Amino acid sequence: MGKLVIVGTVAFDAIETPFGKTDKILGGAATFIGLAASHFNIDTTAVSIVGGDFPQEYLDLLSEKKIDTSGIEIVKDGKTFFWSGRYHNDMNSRDTLVTELNTLADFNPVVPENYRDAEIVMLGNLHPIVQSSVLDQMTTKPKLVILDTMNFWMDSALEDLHNVIKRVDVITINDEEARQLTGEYSLVVAARKIHAMGPEYVVIKKGEHGALLFHNDHVFYAPALPLEEVFDPTGAGDTFAGGFAGYIAKTGDTSFDNMKKAVIYGSTLASFCVEKFGTERMIDLSSEEVHKRLLQFKQLTQFDIELT
């Protein structure tokens, strides 16, 4: 059984979309990543921080999904990170209404001793210095380090971001972020430039238009499954990353061909995430449903053609 270390936020979200709105609900990058990775029967820990206001039932939920929570620091007199956002009608753009860092402002992650030899490390979206500090704690070099980041860090901590990018094997970012990071409009050229920064693999997420995987001169494209309804895109990118990392941890295979399968698993799980608000859909998702949707993906992309 492979070991996976997930570092990121465990948080509260309040979401408004054209289909409705929620009060504070369970969210955070590490939460979505962990719930997705839980489908692969691997040894997973989440490293994060919460306040005394974080319900024990949420921690119990993560534990029930076989996610070790010993790396989640609880600051009894502190408050948990909170984000609130409103999505536009196209569901691709959103406005951030509230961001309260709270305990996250002083987060110094501590990887549990028994996970410092983990084969796979998934660095969720956090300050690049925090991400680097996690790699410094690993006692053996991980087989694969996956980094997720966002344009906020490109604006506010670009040098630190470049330093951590040098140390990772895979980076997952969206198309807008890839263009900002490189100054290139062409995603093929942008991926080449990011590859030169250090990562061997570059995954560029395109939301409802799927995801691209780049490795040297090889490119793989996975479409997004056409869905009848999209209720809430929050956490879809993190769910993709969790499916990707979980599959690699399960198989132990970091070849380009296996990365393709990891992208499909990530896309499959992300397609469920958007069907309900927050983590609701991921919490009750069954392995049978995942298998059925994987077959849908296969049918969507598979064809025979005679080349003349």
Side-chain angles (χ1 to χ4, degrees), residues 98-113:
V98 179
T99 300
E100 296 175 3
L101 291 178
N102 298 326
T103 54
L104 191 67
D106 301 310
F107 178 41
N108 291 306
V110 178
V111 179
E113 289 284 349

Side-chain angles (χ1 to χ4, degrees), residues 9-73:
T9 52
V10 172
F12 292 130
D13 290 339
I15 302 156
E16 184 176 340
T17 79
F19 300 101
K21 60 190 298 186
T22 72
D23 293 322
K24 282 187 177 181
I25 58 175
L26 176 62
T31 306
F32 284 103
I33 294 168
L35 289 173
S38 70
H39 283 273
F40 298 95
N41 190 32
I42 52 178
D43 192 359
T44 303
T45 190
V47 179
S48 192
I49 189 169
V50 296
D53 58 342
F54 195 74
Q56 182 62 42
E57 66 185 271
Y58 287 165
L59 293 172
D60 293 342
L61 168 67
L62 295 176
S63 297
E64 288 166 12
K65 296 292 183 180
K66 304 294 190 294
I67 301 167
D68 174 81
T69 60
S70 64
I72 300 179
E73 180 184 354

Side-chain angles (χ1 to χ4, degrees), residues 289-303:
E289 288 175 304
V290 175
H291 181 72
K292 183 178 178 182
R293 189 155 292 182
L294 278 169
L295 292 177
Q296 288 179 267
F297 257 100
K298 189 174 182 181
Q299 292 164 357
L300 178 70
T301 57
Q302 199 171 45
F303 61 89

Side-chain angles (χ1 to χ4, degrees), residues 207-210 222-228 230 267-268 271-272 274-275 292-301:
E208 64 178 328
H209 303 296
L225 193 71
L227 298 172
E228 288 188 22
V230 176
S267 297
T268 298
S271 74
F272 287 106
V274 302
E275 291 181 340
K292 183 178 178 182
R293 189 155 292 182
L294 278 169
L295 292 177
Q296 288 179 267
F297 257 100
K298 189 174 182 181
Q299 292 164 357
L300 178 70
T301 57

Side-chain angles (χ1 to χ4, degrees), residues 79-91:
K79 293 179 68 179
T80 302
F81 175 72
F82 171 62
W83 176 85
S84 175
R86 179 191 296 123
Y87 286 89
H88 298 182
N89 286 336
D90 65 2
M91 299 293 276

Side-chain angles (χ1 to χ4, degrees), residues 162 165-170 192-202:
H162 275 293
I165 286 175
K166 292 175 187 174
R167 304 178 64 183
V168 308
D169 305 292
V170 183
R192 190 180 302 128
K193 280 197 170 183
I194 296 170
H195 177 65
M197 295 175 189
E200 190 175 353
Y201 298 93
V202 178

